C-alpha cells in the first residue's frame, strides 16, 4: 500500500474585473464576461460587488447578443454555396444594410470588415445572378421555354421589388430581359410558322418525288404533270423548288416523248424486218409498251401494230418453212413439191408485194437446185455406164485367157472365176450396158459354161475307165436308157 502525504492546495485569489465603463469592443466584452463569471464563481466578491457585476454582466450580454444578431447574415453569406440561387441571396441584402447596434459595445474591426465584405459579396452575387438570368433570354429556343422564362423573370421582379434599396438597374435589367424574351417568343413563333411552311413545302416536294418514281405509263405521266401543276399553287416558297420542279417536269415530258418514239421506232422496224428472230425482238419490245400506253389516248395507235405483227409473223413463218425446205431438199421430187406449193398459193402470204421478190428468189433457187440434181444424176449415170463398160471389157479380157491357155485345168479355173464374178456383179451393171455389151456378156457366160461341161465329160470318161468291165456295161446301158427318155421327151 502506498501512502501519500496530504497536500494543502491554495487557490489564487480572483481579481475584481475592470470597470465595465472601460469596455468598448465586442472582443473586450467577451473577455469581461469571462472574467465576471470567474470572479463570481470564486465566492470572494461581497454582496455589493456581486450585485454590480451581475448587473454589468446582464447589460454586457445583451450588447453582445445584439452584435451577434447583427452579424448573423455575415455568417450566412460566408456559408453560401457556390451555386446559391437568387432566392437565397436576396433576403440577405436588407440585413446587410443595417447599421451596427447603437449601444456601448462596438463590433471589432474584423467584424466590421467582414460585414462590409459580406455586403459586397451579396451585392455582386445579386448582380451576377440577375445579369446571368437576364442574358439567358437571348438563348431561348422554344415557345415553352419563353413562357417559362417570363414567369420566372416576373417572379424575380416581384422578389426584387419587395427588397428596399436594391439598385434600380436590377429591375431595368430584368425588364429588358422580359422584353427580350417577348422578342424571342415572337421570333420563335415566326420561325416555327416558317418552319411549318417549309415542312409543308418539303412534304409536297417529297410527295412529288415519290410519285415520279412510280410513273410507268404515259397516262400516269400525264396525270403527274397535271398534279404537279395543281400542287405548285400550294407551295409557300415556290422559288425554292422551282429548278427541281422544272427538272422533274422535263424528265416526265422526256419519258412521254421517249415512249412515243419507241412505238414509232417499232412501227418503222416492222417495215424492214426480214426474219422471225428480228420480229421476236420487236414483239418483246412491243409487249413491254403495253403497260406504258394502257389507259392513254395513244393506246389505240399502239394496238394498231398487233395485227401487223401477226401478219408478218405468218408470212415469215411460211417463208422460213420454204427456206428450211430448200435447205433440206435432197432430191428432185422434194424440190418439185416445194415448187408446187409456191405455185398453188398455199402459202397464203398476207404481204405478197413485200415478199414477192424473196419468194421468187426461192422459186428460182429450187429450180436451180433441180438443174444441179439433174446434172449430177447425169454425171453419175455416165460414171456408172463407164464402169459397166469397163466391167464387161475386163470380163472379155479374162475370157480371152481361156482361149490362150493350153491347160484344161487352168481353163476350168478361169471359167469358174468368171462365172462367180458375173453372178456376184451382174445385177449392178446389167441395166447400164448396151445391147451389144449384153450379148458379149452372154457369150462369155456361154463359153465358161462350155468349159465346165468339157470338164464334166472328161471326168465321166475317167471314172468309167476306172470301173470293172461289168460295171462299165451297166453304166452304158443306163446312159442309153436316159438318152432314150430325153429323146422321147
Amino acid at each position: 500500500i502506498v501512502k501519500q502525504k496530504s497536500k494543502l492546495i491554495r487557490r489564487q485569489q480572483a481579481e475584481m474585473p475592470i470597470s465595465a465603463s472601460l469596455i468598448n469592443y465586442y472582443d473586450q466584452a467577451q473577455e469581461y464576461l469571462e472574467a465576471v463569471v470567474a470572479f463570481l464563481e470564486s465566492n470572494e466578491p461581497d454582496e455589493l460587488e456581486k450585485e454590480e457585476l451581475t448587473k454589468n454582466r446582464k447589460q454586457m450580454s445583451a450588447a453582445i447578443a445584439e452584435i451577434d444578431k447583427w452579424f448573423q447574415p455575415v455568417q450566412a453569406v460566408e456559408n453560401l454555396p457556390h451555386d446559391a440561387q437568387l432566392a437565397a441571396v436576396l433576403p440577405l441584402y436588407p440585413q446587410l444594410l443595417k447599421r451596427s447596434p447603437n449601444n456601448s459595445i462596438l463590433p471589432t474591426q474584423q467584424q466590421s470588415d467582414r460585414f462590409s465584405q459580406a455586403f459586397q459579396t451579396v451585392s455582386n452575387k445579386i448582380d451576377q445572378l440577375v445579369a446571368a438570368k437576364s442574358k439567358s433570354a437571348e438563348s431561348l429556343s422554344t415557345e415553352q421555354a419563353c413562357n417559362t422564362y417570363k414567369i420566372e423573370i416576373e417572379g424575380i421582379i416581384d422578389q426584387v421589388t419587395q427588397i428596399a434599396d436594391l439598385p434600380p438597374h436590377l429591375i431595368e435589367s430584368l425588364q429588358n430581359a422580359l422584353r427580350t424574351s417577348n422578342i424571342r417568343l415572337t421570333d420563335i413563333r415566326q420561325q416555327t410558322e416558317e418552319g411549318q411552311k417549309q415542312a409543308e413545302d418539303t412534304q409536297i416536294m417529297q410527295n412529288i418525288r415519290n410519285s415520279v418514281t412510280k410513273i410507268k405509263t404515259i397516262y400516269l405521266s400525264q396525270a403527274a404533270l397535271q398534279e404537279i401543276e395543281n400542287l405548285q399553287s400550294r407551295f409557300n416558297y415556290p422559288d425554292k423548288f422551282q429548278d427541281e420542279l422544272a427538272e422533274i417536269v422535263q424528265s416526265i415530258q422526256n419519258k412521254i416523248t421517249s415512249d412515243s418514239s419507241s412505238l414509232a421506232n417499232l412501227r418503222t422496224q416492222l417495215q424492214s424486218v426480214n426474219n422471225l428472230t428480228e420480229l421476236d425482238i420487236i414483239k418483246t419490245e412491243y409487249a413491254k409498251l403495253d403497260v406504258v400506253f394502257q389507259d392513254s389516248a395513244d393506246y389505240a395507235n399502239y394496238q394498231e401494230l398487233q395485227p401487223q405483227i401477226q401478219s408478218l409473223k405468218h408470212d415469215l413463218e411460211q417463208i422460213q418453212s420454204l427456206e428450211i425446205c430448200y435447205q433440206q431438199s435432197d432430191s428432185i421430187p422434194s424440190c418439185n413439191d416445194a415448187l408446187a406449193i409456191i405455185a398453188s398459193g398455199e402459202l397464203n402470204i398476207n404481204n405478197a408485194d413485200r415478199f414477192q421478190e424473196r419468194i421468187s428468189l426461192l422459186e428460182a433457187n429450187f429450180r436451180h437446185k433441180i438443174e444441179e440434181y439433174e446434172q449430177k444424176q447425169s454425171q453419175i449415170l455416165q460414171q456408172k455406164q463407164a464402169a459397166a463398160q469397163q466391167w464387161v471389157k475386163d470380163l472379155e479380157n479374162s475370157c480371152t485367157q481361156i482361149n490362150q491357155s493350153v491347160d484344161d485345168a487352168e481353163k476350168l479355173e478361169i471359167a469358174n472365176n468368171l462365172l462367180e464374178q458375173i453372178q456376184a456383179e451382174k445385177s449392178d451393171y446389167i441395166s447400164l450396158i448396151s445391147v451389144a455389151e449384153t450379148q458379149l456378156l452372154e457369150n462369155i457366160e456361154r463359153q465358161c459354161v462350155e468349159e465346165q461341161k468339157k470338164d464334166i465329160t472328161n471326168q465321166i470318161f475317167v471314172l468309167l475307165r476306172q470301173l470293172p468291165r461289168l460295171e462299165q456295161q451297166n453304166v452304158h446301158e443306163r446312159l442309153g436308157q436316159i438318152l432314150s427318155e430325153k429323146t422321147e421327151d
Side-chain angles (χ1 to χ4, degrees):
I1 299 172
V2 179
K3 296 181 178 179
Q4 297 181 350
K5 296 181 179 180
S6 302
K7 291 184 179 180
L8 178 64
I9 301 176
R10 295 184 181 273
R11 182 178 295 173
Q12 186 177 1
Q13 187 177 4
E15 295 182 358
M16 178 68 176
I18 63 174
S19 174
S21 61
L22 299 175
I23 304 301
N24 296 318
Y25 294 100
Y26 180 86
D27 54 345
Q28 293 174 346
Q30 285 184 322
E31 291 175 359
Y32 174 78
L33 287 177
E34 290 175 0
V36 168
V37 170
F39 186 75
L40 290 175
E41 290 177 353
S42 68
N43 297 323
E44 293 181 0
D46 56 27
E47 287 300 321
L48 291 175
E49 290 175 338
K50 186 175 181 179
E51 183 179 349
E52 181 182 0
L53 288 174
T54 300
K55 178 183 177 183
N56 291 341
R57 184 177 68 174
K58 186 177 180 181
Q59 293 175 347
M60 197 67 70
S61 294
I64 289 175
E66 289 183 3
I67 292 176
D68 285 340
K69 184 178 180 181
W70 168 78
F71 198 72
Q72 279 181 353
V74 175
Q75 294 174 332
V77 171
E78 291 176 346
N79 291 326
L80 281 174
H82 178 71
D83 57 350
Q85 300 300 309
L86 196 58
V89 179
L90 277 175
L92 296 174
Y93 185 84
Q95 298 178 41
L96 293 170
L97 282 175
K98 295 178 181 179
R99 300 177 64 85
S100 60
N102 186 17
N103 54 39
S104 58
I105 302 300
L106 299 173
T108 64
Q109 184 63 43
Q110 182 187 30
Q111 285 176 320
S112 297
D113 292 343
R114 287 173 65 190
F115 197 93
S116 298
Q117 180 61 44
F119 177 76
Q120 190 62 46
T121 299
V122 168
S123 297
N124 292 341
K125 188 70 173 177
I126 292 172
D127 280 343
Q128 292 172 1
L129 291 172
V130 170
K133 186 59 68 175
S134 299
K135 186 173 181 59
S136 63
E138 300 174 1
S139 60
L140 296 172
S141 59
T142 66
E143 185 173 347
Q144 182 180 357
C146 288
N147 292 329
T148 302
Y149 180 80
K150 286 174 63 178
I151 294 172
E152 184 180 5
I153 294 300
E154 289 170 354
I156 294 174
I157 290 175
D158 289 341
Q159 295 176 32
V160 171
T161 54
Q162 293 174 13
I163 305 298
D165 300 323
L166 277 171
H169 73 271
L170 297 176
I171 294 295
E172 294 174 1
S173 178
L174 291 168
Q175 289 175 342
N176 287 335
L178 272 180
R179 286 190 289 271
T180 302
S181 68
N182 287 329
I183 293 172
R184 285 294 301 149
L185 180 58
T186 302
D187 291 343
I188 289 170
R189 284 174 177 170
Q190 290 176 348
Q191 291 172 2
T192 301
E193 183 179 355
E194 183 178 350
Q196 289 175 345
K197 290 180 179 179
Q198 290 179 350
E200 291 173 0
D201 287 358
T202 300
Q203 186 59 50
I204 292 172
M205 195 64 217
Q206 188 60 45
N207 291 340
I208 291 174
R209 295 190 192 103
N210 292 340
S211 64
V212 168
T213 61
K214 299 175 183 178
I215 293 176
K216 304 298 182 184
T217 70
I218 291 180
Y219 174 78
L220 292 177
S221 297
Q222 293 168 340
L225 289 175
Q226 184 61 48
E227 182 67 12
I228 290 172
E229 184 177 347
N230 295 338
L231 289 175
Q232 279 183 306
S233 61
R234 292 172 51 188
F235 277 110
N236 297 291
Y237 306 103
D239 294 343
K240 182 177 180 181
F241 300 103
Q242 186 174 2
D243 292 342
E244 185 178 359
L245 278 173
E247 290 180 3
I248 290 175
V249 169
Q250 187 62 53
S251 68
I252 296 174
Q253 291 174 340
N254 289 345
K255 176 172 174 49
I256 294 174
T257 302
S258 175
D259 292 337
S260 299
S261 297
S262 297
L263 184 62
N265 290 337
L266 291 182
R267 185 177 284 106
T268 301
Q269 291 174 30
L270 284 175
Q271 303 304 316
S272 59
V273 65
N274 207 29
N275 56 67
L276 287 172
T277 301
E278 293 176 357
L279 185 62
D280 285 341
I281 295 174
I282 293 175
K283 282 178 60 181
T284 301
E285 295 302 316
Y286 178 76
K288 291 178 182 177
L289 290 178
D290 182 74
V291 68
V292 173
F293 283 90
Q294 228 169 46
D295 301 324
S296 72
D298 295 326
Y299 193 59
N301 292 334
Y302 167 81
Q303 290 180 311
E304 287 178 359
L305 291 189
Q306 182 65 31
Q308 295 182 37
I309 292 174
Q310 294 300 328
S311 172
L312 284 172
K313 181 175 183 294
H314 170 269
D315 290 354
L316 289 173
E317 284 177 346
Q318 295 299 316
I319 292 172
Q320 185 182 69
S321 176
L322 269 182
E323 289 174 342
I324 292 173
C325 180
Y326 173 76
Q327 297 294 332
Q328 295 177 347
S329 293
D330 55 359
S331 66
I332 293 175
S334 62
C335 290
N336 284 328
D337 291 342
L339 288 173
I341 291 173
I342 295 173
S344 66
E346 292 180 23
L347 295 176
N348 195 21
I349 299 298
N350 298 307
N351 302 275
D353 293 340
R354 176 172 173 177
F355 295 111
Q356 183 57 51
E357 182 178 351
R358 190 168 172 183
I359 294 173
S360 297
L361 179 61
L362 271 171
E363 184 177 8
N365 288 340
F366 274 114
R367 296 188 185 285
H368 181 68
K369 202 169 191 180
I370 290 173
E371 292 176 359
E372 289 180 344
Y373 281 142
E374 288 175 348
Q375 291 176 0
K376 188 174 182 180
Q377 287 179 349
S378 176
Q379 292 174 355
I380 292 172
L381 179 60
Q382 291 175 2
Q383 292 173 355
K384 287 182 177 181
Q385 288 175 341
Q389 291 172 357
Q390 184 64 42
W391 176 69
V392 173
K393 187 175 181 180
D394 292 340
L395 291 176
E396 185 182 14
N397 293 335
S398 298
C399 186
T400 303
Q401 294 177 5
I402 296 175
N403 298 328
Q404 294 175 348
S405 177
V406 295
D407 185 352
D408 291 339
E410 182 180 3
K411 288 182 178 182
L412 179 61
E413 182 179 359
I414 294 172
N416 289 335
N417 291 337
L418 280 174
L419 287 174
E420 289 178 4
Q421 183 179 356
I422 291 170
Q423 185 177 3
E425 299 173 354
K426 185 176 181 179
S427 60
D428 295 333
Y429 298 108
I430 190 64
S431 61
L432 299 172
I433 57 180
S434 62
V435 175
E437 290 169 340
T438 302
Q439 292 175 352
L440 177 59
L441 178 62
E442 291 173 353
N443 292 333
I444 293 172
E445 286 179 307
R446 193 179 301 110
Q447 186 174 352
C448 290
V449 169
E450 289 176 356
E451 287 296 327
Q452 287 180 336
K453 288 180 178 179
K454 288 181 182 179
D455 179 63
I456 292 172
T457 302
N458 291 334
Q459 289 180 9
I460 291 173
F461 283 122
V462 171
L463 291 174
L464 187 62
R465 289 191 186 98
Q466 292 176 356
L467 292 175
R469 182 80 177 170
L470 181 60
E471 289 294 330
Q472 289 180 3
Q473 290 177 353
N474 291 335
V475 170
H476 186 271
E477 289 176 359
R478 290 180 61 188
L479 286 173
Q481 292 175 356
I482 291 171
L483 290 174
S484 63
E485 291 174 358
K486 286 186 177 181
T487 302
E488 292 176 357
D489 293 339

